Amino acid sequence: AMSHRFACTRNAKLLVTSRQWVLLDATGQQLEGIARTVCKLLEGRHKPIYSNVMDAGDHVVVINTKQLVVPDKKVLWWYSGYAQGHRHVYSKDFHIFRPTECLRLQVELKLPEKHALQERLARLHLFPGHNYPYAANISKVMEGPDNVFKSLTEYSAEERDMFVKAPDCRVKKATPLYDWDDLS
């Protein structure tokens, strides 16, 4: 007997979909933003045939995770199950020693636990540098979600002169409205 899950033609079409390999460059991207994009790709929510019953997500290859922008104050913590087994570390410090783990943990927290979490995480491929072994498989190259801004030193002097000047907001000494006003 056929399960009611596969009886629908929409779900039957999901069985024949192929998984694409998507390349993302994490240089200058915010941790939260790129994790959101990766989750969307792993779940297949970017496809018009998305269904929460079937897993139609793609393989995601993220390169240059060393250059991710990680917040200073974000705390990663875990509990071993033993007495006094609480551990915590700031994500900025954790990112220095394990540049791929910060993003993997963030993606793991954002993915729903019920539906094929380990299968989706197995399709996530993270690399700290720009070298990766899946170059032949890549079918789509995507830009990250965040605009990567240049630092002020990267702009030329002419470009800096064209910036909008902020008004002088320092507190000024009050001036009297009329000659007979005494503000002292």
Side-chain angles (χ1 to χ4, degrees):
M2 182 185 256
S3 169
H4 74 282
R5 205 163 97 172
F6 300 112
C8 180
T9 57
R10 180 176 179 207
N11 289 337
K13 287 179 185 177
L14 288 173
L15 295 174
V16 295
T17 59
S18 62
R19 298 192 192 281
Q20 292 184 342
W21 286 71
V22 181
L23 177 70
L24 280 169
D25 189 3
T27 305
Q29 298 291 323
Q30 298 283 335
L31 177 65
E32 296 279 336
I34 200 162
R36 226 176 296 119
T37 302
V38 166
C39 286
K40 187 177 176 182
L41 292 169
L42 287 174
E43 290 179 271
R45 282 188 279 139
H46 62 292
K47 296 183 178 182
I49 57 171
Y50 169 71
S51 171
N52 60 356
V53 177
M54 293 296 292
D55 190 13
D58 295 333
H59 287 269
V60 181
V61 179
V62 183
I63 58 173
N64 295 325
T65 57
K66 258 187 187 172
Q67 277 108 30
L68 264 174
V69 178
V70 180
D72 291 335
K73 301 295 181 190
K74 190 173 182 81
V75 176
L76 302 170
W77 68 273
W78 57 93
Y79 178 58
S80 68
Y82 292 98
Q84 299 175 349
H86 293 278
R87 301 282 183 265
H88 73 276
V89 65
Y90 288 108
S91 60
K92 194 79 164 173
D93 302 330
F94 188 64
H95 183 66
I96 293 169
F97 297 107
R98 294 200 176 172
T100 59
E101 282 299 299
C102 253
L103 181 58
R104 191 192 65 76
L105 285 172
Q106 194 67 32
V107 168
E108 189 176 343
L109 288 173
K110 287 187 180 300
L111 283 173
E113 291 181 17
K114 290 182 182 176
H115 303 293
L117 177 65
Q118 294 305 318
E119 289 85 353
R120 287 175 177 165
L121 286 176
R123 291 195 311 268
L124 176 62
H125 311 280
L126 303 171
F127 299 98
H130 61 276
N131 297 328
Y132 59 98
Y134 302 111
N137 299 346
I138 301 296
S139 59
K140 189 194 310 184
V141 178
M142 286 184 63
E143 291 185 12
D146 296 330
N147 295 326
V148 180
F149 299 106
K150 297 192 290 188
S151 68
L152 193 58
T153 57
E154 294 175 1
Y155 287 101
S156 66
E158 295 84 29
E159 289 174 321
R160 276 186 260 145
D161 290 338
M162 291 178 63
F163 286 162
V164 176
K165 303 286 189 257
D168 189 11
C169 296
R170 290 175 278 187
V171 178
K172 296 181 180 173
K173 188 174 182 184
T175 55
L177 290 174
Y178 302 105
D179 293 336
W180 58 84
D181 285 343
D182 184 21
L183 298 175
S184 56

